[in-house]
Amino acid sequence: MHPAPSVIIFTTMSGLGLGLMVFLGLGFLDVSGFVAFVFVAIAFALLGGGLLSSLFHLGHPERFIKALRQWRSSWLSREGVLSFVTMGLFGLYALLWIFWDMRIGWLGLLAAASALLTVFATSMIYAQMKSIPRWNSFLTPAMFLLYALAGGALLAAQSYVAGLLFLLLVPLQVIVWVVGDRAFGATGSDMGTATGLGNLGKVRLLEKPHSGTNYLMKEMVYVIGRKHAAKLRLFALVFGSLLPASLLLFFPHSMSIAFAAIAIHLVGLFAQRWLFFAEAEHVVGLYYGQR
Amino acid sequence: MTTLPQSTDKKLGLVIDLDTCVGCHACVISCKEWNTSNYGAPLSDVDAYGGNPVGTFLNRVHSFEVKQENKPAQVTHFPKSCLHCEDAPCVTVCPTGASYKRTEDGIVLVNESDCIGCGLCAWSCPYGAREMDALEGVMKKCTLCVDRIYNENIPERDRVPSCVRTCPAGARHFGDLGDPDSDVSKLVAERGGMDLMPEQGTKPVNKYLPPRPKADVEEIDVLAPFLQRQDEEAGGFLGWLDRTLEKL
Ligand code: SF4
Ligand code: SF4
Ligand code: SF4
């Protein structure tokens, strides 16, 4: 799949913002007044910025409000509804916290649950796609949730919790890649089933339908070099989780360590998300001779 | 509504004969012509006369080669448009309800004024049957020529999809696949019509008729000997003609 910057920014930023809301909602971080405001502002900026960036992905962003209608069937619609609900609940919780120094437990809990559900809904947009075998797994929501929680803990200055979550993320990420590499083969789809000609012999593409390219090829038949991908994976693993985990667990906690961990994690997270899209093969590629 | 109907009164769709399709792309052109000037936004082209033309099409023809060991390769032209699936994932993923399946005839359509152009439905279609229009920013797909098949303003014989009407080889058939007595259903039963990628669980309404088995003849190229180059010293009548003309 084409790794569109708008979607990469959206999933990473909104994930971090929602993760931060989870920890603030659960009552972590013993601050008040202006400091509380700064943390709340960061959470809103991340979520809002992410949502805004996702609008750039749309052909008709001005109609986005219509996307809240089909929450009964569509994960994208659920994600939209849930992000507004989360903003409302968390906004109320934050207002009371910042101005009256009241942290209402049950309200925070609701906001945290809603934030987690939003991340889950985002991940299900990808995980529901049967046509994209690498994504079509419960590992996709697991991965999105853990990234959001680890990043959120880090932003909420919970160094120890964040360190542990990043440590958990290392094996999960490796499993996601190993299982993902086998997913396409496991579907049984090949050029034979795509054309229905498989029982007549070995099928290969003789001519594309056109000499140039098209929307489908640009959007869904994105090819990245194997070697390239292997290097990026290592990079994403080291920067995205391994290094932040080591920094947070084995070094004395300090502001500079936390900031370094955030910066390193961000770089790794972008690489990880870029790979998430770039490596995902769509079965439509079979009609264009891919695989 | 983006939920799928439990069942539809009819299952209108196409039956495509891979044995007779000659790969002329006439259906591609007639589909584009009809659909760019009728239902919904036109099908745009970008850089149409330049070096890198890209455009929106609702129907495309691929060509595949099938080969068995020690047998000659067989070429199959493969037209592909929306299969109007019964379990259409492109309908349920749509956040706005723009993508829907009609209860009366099972046609899958996009209500373009509701479409936000998120592209999710195109992601969910295993067959690549939906294309986002680059200029309009809305999703385009085969409408089964819904504005022809019920259109009382055109002669009755034209009330079939444009691609079906155009195909010079008669490789495209249109009808109700929900009715076991319809011509298309009989054709499917007779020729062993098949689903594309049944493992995707989409239950396509459109069916494909497989190429008929080719007879195993040793030498099928009867014209080849006559087409060999005969540069030097042709004999017989041609040689005589050649020599006579040279003398003039
Ligand atoms: S072929 Fe694709 S676009 Fe058409 S109904 Fe099936 S899934 Fe939807
Ligand atoms: S592109 Fe349009 S029709 Fe397709 S899912 Fe998005 S809103 Fe629905
Ligand atoms: S039925 Fe109409 S819209 Fe569909 S492929 Fe044929 S000509 Fe195009």
Side-chain angles (χ1 to χ4, degrees), chain B residues 82-85 88-90 108 125-127 129-130 141:
Chain B
C82 170
L83 310 171
H84 297 279
C85 307
C90 57
V108 175
C125 170
Y127 310 104
R130 292 176 167 239
K141 69 176 292 300

Side-chain angles (χ1 to χ4, degrees), chain A residues 63 69 131 189 206 282, chain B residues 63 67 114-115 123 136 199:
Chain A
R63 297 181 186 156
R69 294 200 300 220
S131 50
S189 296
L206 190 62
H282 195 290
Chain B
S63 296
K67 177 113 175 61
D114 273 358
C115 173
W123 284 14
E136 292 287 336
E199 68 278 9

Side-chain angles (χ1 to χ4, degrees), chain B residues 32-48:
Chain B
K32 176 113 173 177
E33 187 278 331
W34 177 264
N35 286 288
T36 203
S37 37
N38 291 284
Y39 180 98
L43 304 168
S44 69
D45 293 309
V46 178
D47 197 19

